[in-house]
Amino acid sequence: MTREDSSKVTRRSTRFSSSLTNDNPEPNPSHPPTVADLTSGQESITLDALLSSFPGRRSQILDLIRLIGPLDSPALPVMVYGDASTGKTSVALQVFKHLNRPFVYSSCRTCCTPRLFFESILNQLLLHSKCSSNGYASAKRCDKPSDFVNLLKEALSGVVETLGSAKLERKLMGKMVYLIVDHVDLIKEWDKGAMILQFLFGLYSVLKMPQLGIILISGLPPDVYYSNMGYTDPIPVYFPEYSEEELRQIFLKSQVNKKLYSAFLDVALRPFCRVTRRVEELSTSLSSLFRKYCEPLDDLSISPNEDLKRRLYSNLRPHITSCLNEVFRVSGRPRDGDTRGERRQKASYSSEKGEELEVLDFHMSTSAKYLLIAAFLASRNPATLDASMFDSTGGMDNRKRKRKASEKSMEKKEMAEQEAVMKGPGSFPLERLLAIFQCIASVGDSSLGEEEDEEGEEEATGYDKESNNMMSDILLQVASLCDANFMIKSGSCPLEGSIRYRSMVSEDLSLKVARSLSFPLSKYLYRR
C-alpha cells in the first residue's frame, strides 16, 4: 500500500489482515455477517476524490473502471502489473470502494500455500470467520484445485442468489462478485506453483460463471505466465514507476507546511530518485533527512526565503551521501576515518596502475557498485571458471607457475583474444549475476576488515554477519542498472527460458568503481 493511502486503513483491509492471523476478533452475535460485508464496509467515494488520492494514476483508474464495466456486466479477467510500490493494490481496492461492488481479496503473500489460498477465498464467500467457538477452523477444508472449483461454484451460487434477493437499498451492489488475487508472482515459489498458476489463469474458463470477475495483481508482466494451455488471457493494466513530479505530489500531500517541505524536496528528492522510486523506501529516508533539514529552525511553520534555503541546504548536505547508501541497507565505509589497511590497499592500487585514484563523477549506492562489478565479471569471465575464481581462497591462485608457452599456443591465444574482442561481452543469466554479487560483496567487506579484526573490532558484512545489512530489493537495483544502460537485456536463452543480461561497462569504468570500494578487481578478472 502506498504512502498516500497508509493512513487511511479501511475496515475492509483490516478485516482481511486480521482474518489471516491468530488474533481474530470474536464475531458479534448481534451483527451476523452478511453479503454487505463483501463490500469495502464504508461509504463509496467519488471519482474526483479517488483520482486526487493517487497522483499519476488517472489513466490506470479509468482503465480499471472501464474494464470492470457497468453494474452486472460480465467482465474478462484483468491483470494489474508493475513494479513494487506503484499503487497497484491500493488503487484496485479503492476502485471497488468507489463502485461499491462486492469482492473477495486474497494475498498470496499471507496465504503462502494452496490450501490457505483456497480456504481464504471460501471463508469470505461463505461469510465464515475463524474464532475460538469453531476452533479457528475454516468453513471447508480444501487442498486440491478440483475440490476448490466445486466448492467455489457452490459458494458463488449462494452469494449471487442472496444478492439477487437483496433489499432495494442494496440493489446498487449488483449480482457480480469479484475475486482479487494479490502477489500472483509469489505463487511461482510454492510447491507445484506452476500447476496452481495454470489453474488460476484458467479458472475463468473452467467455472463459466459470468457472475464472477477476476482481478490479478502481479509484480511481473503477463508474458512471464504465458503458456499454451488455451485459457483466456487477462487484459493487462500496467502501473509504471512514479515520476519525480508524481512523487513530489505524494509526499507534499500529507505535509502541514508545504512550502518548507517543497524547498526540502527541491534538494533531496532528485538524488534519491536516481537510486529508487519506491515510496516506502523514499519515505523512510526522506523523513530522517527532513528532521536534519529542520534542525536550525525554531519555527517549523516558517516560509523559507532564498537565504534560509541555502543555510538549510548547507546543514543537510553532509548527511545526503550516508543516507543514500542506507537506502538499500548496504552501508559504505566512511571516507573520513580510513584505517591503515584501507590506506595501504589504496596505495597498492594506485601503484599498480601508476596513477592516482579517480573519483566517480556520479553517485551510486554501494550495493549497485558491487552489482556493476559482478555484471562486468560475468560478461568477461567464462562461466566454467566461476568455481575456481570465487573459491574459499578468494580468487585465482596467481602464484602457480605456468610452463613456457610455445609459439603455436601463443598464436592460438592471440586469435582467441581477437575473437573475444570481436564478440564483445558475453551474456549471463540473473542467477549467475546474483551468485557473483554474493561472493564479491562478502569478500569486499571481509578483506577491508582484516586490520580492524586484529585490533578486536568487528564489523558486520553484507552476507557473513547480518542478513539485515543486505539491500531490500536487489531486483530493483538490476532494473535501475538496465535503465541507466550499464546493463542490457540480451534476450532469452531457448534452452533455459530465462532472460539473459549483458554488461555494457568498460574496463576503465569498472576499475574506477572497484577503486571506490577498495575491491581487488584484477584478482577476479580472467586474462586470456
Side-chain angles (χ1 to χ4, degrees):
M1 185 175 290
T2 54
R3 182 179 185 274
E4 68 270 19
D5 202 47
S6 60
S7 61
K8 301 178 181 179
V9 181
T10 62
R11 173 187 167 190
R12 178 70 179 181
S13 60
T14 304
R15 181 170 67 86
F16 281 115
S17 59
S18 62
S19 66
L20 298 170
T21 63
N22 293 328
D23 302 329
N24 296 310
E26 297 295 325
N28 188 359
S30 62
H31 180 68
T34 63
V35 291
D37 294 329
L38 295 178
T39 60
S40 62
Q42 297 180 355
E43 296 182 0
S44 60
I45 58 177
T46 62
L47 180 59
D48 292 337
L50 177 61
L51 295 175
S52 62
S53 299
F54 297 95
R57 293 292 175 257
R58 179 183 180 87
S59 61
Q60 287 78 15
I61 292 174
L62 297 179
D63 285 344
L64 276 177
I65 295 176
R66 175 180 56 83
L67 292 173
I68 293 173
L71 206 64
D72 295 334
S73 61
L76 293 173
V78 177
M79 170 170 279
V80 177
Y81 73 98
D83 292 334
S85 189
T86 52
K88 302 183 295 295
T89 303
S90 301
V91 168
L93 295 179
Q94 291 299 308
V95 163
F96 277 92
K97 180 180 178 181
H98 162 67
L99 298 175
N100 195 30
R101 307 284 178 85
F103 66 94
V104 171
Y105 174 84
S106 182
S107 172
C108 298
R109 185 179 296 278
T110 52
C111 301
C112 54
T113 63
R115 178 182 173 183
L116 290 175
F117 174 65
F118 295 151
E119 292 181 358
S120 170
I121 296 173
L122 294 174
N123 286 339
Q124 296 174 61
L125 288 174
L126 296 173
L127 307 178
H128 174 80
S129 178
K130 296 181 181 181
C131 58
S132 58
S133 60
N134 53 38
Y136 298 99
S138 299
K140 301 285 185 179
R141 180 183 176 90
C142 183
D143 296 303
K144 301 179 181 179
S146 57
D147 297 336
F148 177 69
V149 171
N150 297 328
L151 294 173
L152 183 61
K153 281 185 177 180
E154 181 182 346
L156 279 174
S157 300
V159 172
V160 171
E161 183 179 354
T162 304
L163 289 173
S165 59
K167 295 182 180 180
L168 181 63
E169 61 269 19
R170 287 294 180 186
K171 282 190 176 180
L172 292 177
M173 294 169 54
K175 300 179 182 179
M176 287 275 298
V177 180
Y178 299 87
L179 172 61
I180 303 177
V181 182
D182 201 357
H183 302 292
V184 175
D185 48 302
L186 297 181
I187 299 180
K188 297 166 69 71
E189 303 174 4
W190 293 0
D191 185 26
K192 299 180 181 179
M195 183 187 69
I196 300 297
L197 277 174
Q198 293 179 2
F199 165 74
L200 183 60
F201 278 82
L203 185 61
Y204 179 82
S205 303
V206 171
L207 285 176
K208 296 180 181 179
M209 293 185 66
Q211 296 87 358
L212 176 67
I214 299 178
I215 310 291
L216 305 176
I217 303 176
S218 170
L220 299 176
D223 298 342
V224 177
Y225 309 101
Y226 175 77
S227 67
N228 55 357
M229 297 299 293
Y231 55 76
T232 303
D233 291 331
I235 302 174
V237 178
Y238 176 58
F239 277 60
E241 287 186 336
Y242 288 111
S243 64
E244 184 178 340
E245 182 58 33
E246 292 165 354
L247 289 171
R248 175 184 290 271
Q249 296 177 24
I250 291 174
F251 290 120
L252 281 175
K253 195 177 172 192
S254 59
Q255 298 299 322
V256 178
N257 189 347
K258 298 185 183 300
K259 291 184 178 180
L260 178 62
Y261 201 80
S262 178
F264 164 71
L265 292 178
D266 288 339
V267 297
L269 182 58
R270 179 164 295 180
F272 281 88
C273 284
R274 297 192 186 108
V275 180
T276 180
R277 298 291 178 96
R278 299 184 65 168
V279 176
E280 66 270 13
E281 291 179 348
L282 287 173
S283 177
T284 302
S285 301
L286 293 179
S287 60
S288 60
L289 273 181
F290 186 61
R291 289 193 293 268
K292 295 286 185 182
Y293 185 78
C294 297
E295 282 181 353
L297 296 177
D298 297 328
D299 183 11
L300 296 182
S301 61
I302 190 173
S303 297
N305 53 27
E306 294 300 324
D307 293 336
L308 182 58
K309 288 180 182 180
R310 284 192 290 269
R311 186 160 61 91
L312 293 176
Y313 174 67
S314 300
N315 179 69
L316 177 69
R317 188 175 180 179
H319 306 283
I320 293 180
T321 302
S322 59
C323 198
L324 278 169
N325 282 331
E326 289 296 326
V327 171
F328 295 100
R329 299 179 185 178
V330 176
S331 57
R333 292 182 171 269
R335 293 298 164 190
D336 52 348
D338 291 344
T339 62
R340 286 183 304 163
E342 290 175 325
R343 289 194 296 268
R344 189 187 312 142
Q345 205 161 20
K346 288 179 182 178
S348 65
Y349 287 138
S350 58
S351 60
E352 178 183 350
K353 283 297 181 178
E355 57 185 11
E356 294 184 355
L357 294 178
E358 300 179 35
V359 180
L360 289 176
D361 54 357
F362 57 88
H363 180 82
M364 181 180 288
S365 64
T366 305
S367 56
K369 291 179 182 178
Y370 277 117
L371 265 179
L372 199 65
I373 296 174
F376 175 73
L377 292 174
S379 287
R380 287 290 301 269
N381 294 345
T384 54
L385 296 180
D386 284 353
S388 59
M389 286 282 190
F390 306 104
D391 59 0
S392 58
T393 61
M396 295 281 288
D397 190 357
N398 295 323
R399 295 174 298 177
K400 293 181 179 180
R401 293 186 176 272
K402 300 179 181 179
R403 60 182 182 177
K404 189 175 181 180
S406 62
E407 185 177 351
K408 187 175 181 180
S409 62
M410 291 294 293
E411 291 179 358
K412 288 183 178 180
K413 183 178 180 180
E414 291 178 0
M415 292 177 61
E417 290 178 353
Q418 293 176 3
E419 184 179 357
V421 171
M422 294 179 65
K423 285 182 178 179
S427 61
F428 51 86
L430 179 62
E431 292 79 6
R432 186 182 174 212
L433 173 67
L434 299 182
I436 296 177
F437 169 80
Q438 179 178 358
C439 294
I440 65 176
S442 58
V443 169
D445 284 345
S446 60
S447 64
L448 292 179
E450 289 178 356
E451 293 292 332
E452 297 175 359
D453 291 341
E454 295 177 358
E455 298 174 2
E457 298 179 0
E458 293 185 357
E459 192 142 337
T461 60
Y463 281 87
D464 297 335
K465 300 297 181 183
E466 296 180 358
S467 59
N468 60 3
N469 249 3
M470 275 302 297
M471 65 191 66
S472 61
D473 194 354
I474 190 173
L475 296 180
L476 182 64
Q477 290 268 29
V478 174
S480 300
L481 292 178
C482 291
D483 292 340
N485 289 329
F486 289 119
M487 292 166 49
I488 62 171
K489 295 181 181 179
S490 60
S492 302
C493 177
L495 297 179
E496 299 176 358
S498 59
I499 299 177
R500 299 180 69 86
Y501 298 85
R502 190 187 307 270
S503 173
M504 302 301 293
V505 178
S506 64
E507 184 174 352
D508 292 339
L509 180 57
S510 299
L511 287 171
K512 189 186 297 186
V513 173
R515 289 175 194 139
S516 68
L517 295 170
S518 297
F519 177 78
L521 178 62
S522 58
K523 188 177 180 181
Y524 294 89
L525 190 59
Y526 173 69
R527 302 288 185 181
R528 291 179 174 84

